[in-house]
Amino acid sequence: MRESDFIAEEVPVAMVYNGATFAVMMATPHDLDDFALGFSLSEGLINDPSQLLQMESHALIEGIELAIRVTDNASAAHLDKERQRLLPGRSGCGICGTRELEQAIRHGEAVGEGQVIARDALEQALQQLHSRQPMNAATGAVHAAAWADREGRILLVREDVGRHNALDKLIGAMRRAGFDPGDGMALVTSRASYEMVTKATSAGITVLAAISAPTALAIELARSAGITLVGFTRPGSHNIYTHPHRLQPPAPRETP
């Protein structure tokens, strides 16, 4: 018996700044405006959304080209061979093709103080997340990154075959919406690898919760950046690896 099935898209997306190609990422071709902004910010190619003047998406036979125009004072306007990547960024790799160790492990500025969030709010956000992933529900092949407020209400979700691409899309969407990255939490349906923590740091996100495990380097980077890193986020349980002061335990029940 034959049945129809939905398949996740994965295409090469070239990130071209003022005519110079920086990288080719394997990504799901949705929410590309958010991807262009979030990727540019998390890679340090621009420091502020105002430096991204224009983005045009061009469909080519080989894939998609994002023609991004930035201001002259943006780092992306002065790309040289040392910053361009040698290899395409595969969907499971956030830094493929990086030439130097200093570029691979980037230590950004520490995030702000942030807000205290009740652990019950984390539970509520987790319960909502499953129903907010339409592409994954259809294909079973994509990751999601979500932004929730302090009450646990999910405000934004972005999906992609690459976990880091999903987070870049979320970061771009957050900046467009004007959300305060210290006034809520980010949830990702993946492991918390070091590039995820690096991107969260660049965005100023103070609480990052992952469905799966963190890596040792991710924990060290989160500790130095001041991020509250949560792993193995499951209904009824989670592990807090760094800066636990931002997650408030449930209030004790009163005994009759």
Side-chain angles (χ1 to χ4, degrees), residues 177-254:
F179 290 145
D180 181 354
D183 193 23
M185 53 189 157
L187 289 80
V188 294
T189 61
S190 65
R191 71 180 185 272
S193 52
Y194 72 93
E195 74 266 32
M196 301 293 277
V197 172
T198 300
K199 289 178 181 295
T201 302
S202 71
I205 293 170
T206 54
V207 178
L208 177 64
I211 300 299
S212 192
T215 64
L217 183 54
I219 293 172
E220 289 304 314
L221 290 177
R223 182 177 291 113
S224 64
I227 290 178
T228 298
L229 181 61
V230 185
F232 292 109
T233 308
R234 302 281 194 276
S237 68
H238 54 265
N239 297 345
I240 307 174
Y241 293 91
T242 58
H243 303 284
H245 64 278
R246 291 196 189 92
L247 282 182
Q248 186 178 63
R253 296 180 179 178
E254 296 183 1

Side-chain angles (χ1 to χ4, degrees), residues 18-218:
N18 291 7
T21 301
F22 174 73
V24 177
M25 308 299 295
M26 298 302 298
T28 302
H30 298 282
D31 301 306
L32 293 179
D33 286 347
D34 293 333
F35 185 41
L37 178 57
F39 180 88
S40 301
L41 288 166
S42 69
E43 291 290 325
L45 297 166
I46 61 174
N47 297 320
D48 186 85
S50 63
Q51 291 182 310
L52 198 161
L53 300 175
Q54 185 181 28
M55 194 284 286
E56 294 181 352
S57 176
H58 301 146
L60 308 175
I61 295 176
E62 301 85 355
I64 296 174
E65 178 185 274
L66 298 187
I68 303 167
R69 188 163 63 88
V70 299
T71 58
D72 290 338
N73 62 344
S75 297
H78 307 283
L79 294 176
D80 54 32
K81 292 182 179 180
E82 294 303 315
R83 291 214 63 187
Q84 293 172 346
R85 295 186 177 184
L86 291 169
L87 299 173
R90 299 176 179 88
S91 57
C93 175
I95 60 163
C96 292
T98 301
R99 296 170 181 246
E100 303 291 341
L101 287 174
E102 292 81 359
Q103 295 173 2
I105 309 299
R106 303 192 308 272
H107 295 270
E109 296 183 5
V111 299
E113 182 60 29
Q115 300 290 334
V116 174
I117 297 172
R119 297 187 192 181
D120 289 344
L122 177 59
E123 285 282 333
Q124 292 176 27
L126 182 63
Q127 291 174 6
Q128 298 170 51
L129 184 56
H130 181 72
S131 63
R132 297 288 299 273
Q133 302 175 61
M135 279 195 286
N136 191 59
T139 68
V142 298
H143 286 292
W147 179 250
D149 63 15
R150 281 183 286 168
E151 284 70 45
R153 295 172 298 199
I154 289 183
L155 305 179
L156 286 171
V157 180
R158 292 294 183 268
E159 295 182 276
D160 198 276
V161 289
R163 62 186 184 274
H164 45 85
N165 296 338
L167 184 54
D168 275 335
K169 289 178 178 180
L170 178 69
I171 290 170
M174 287 174 60
R175 292 302 295 266
R176 290 182 189 282
F179 290 145
D180 181 354
D183 193 23
M185 53 189 157
L187 289 80
V188 294
T189 61
S190 65
R191 71 180 185 272
S193 52
Y194 72 93
E195 74 266 32
M196 301 293 277
V197 172
T198 300
K199 289 178 181 295
T201 302
S202 71
I205 293 170
T206 54
V207 178
L208 177 64
I211 300 299
S212 192
T215 64
L217 183 54

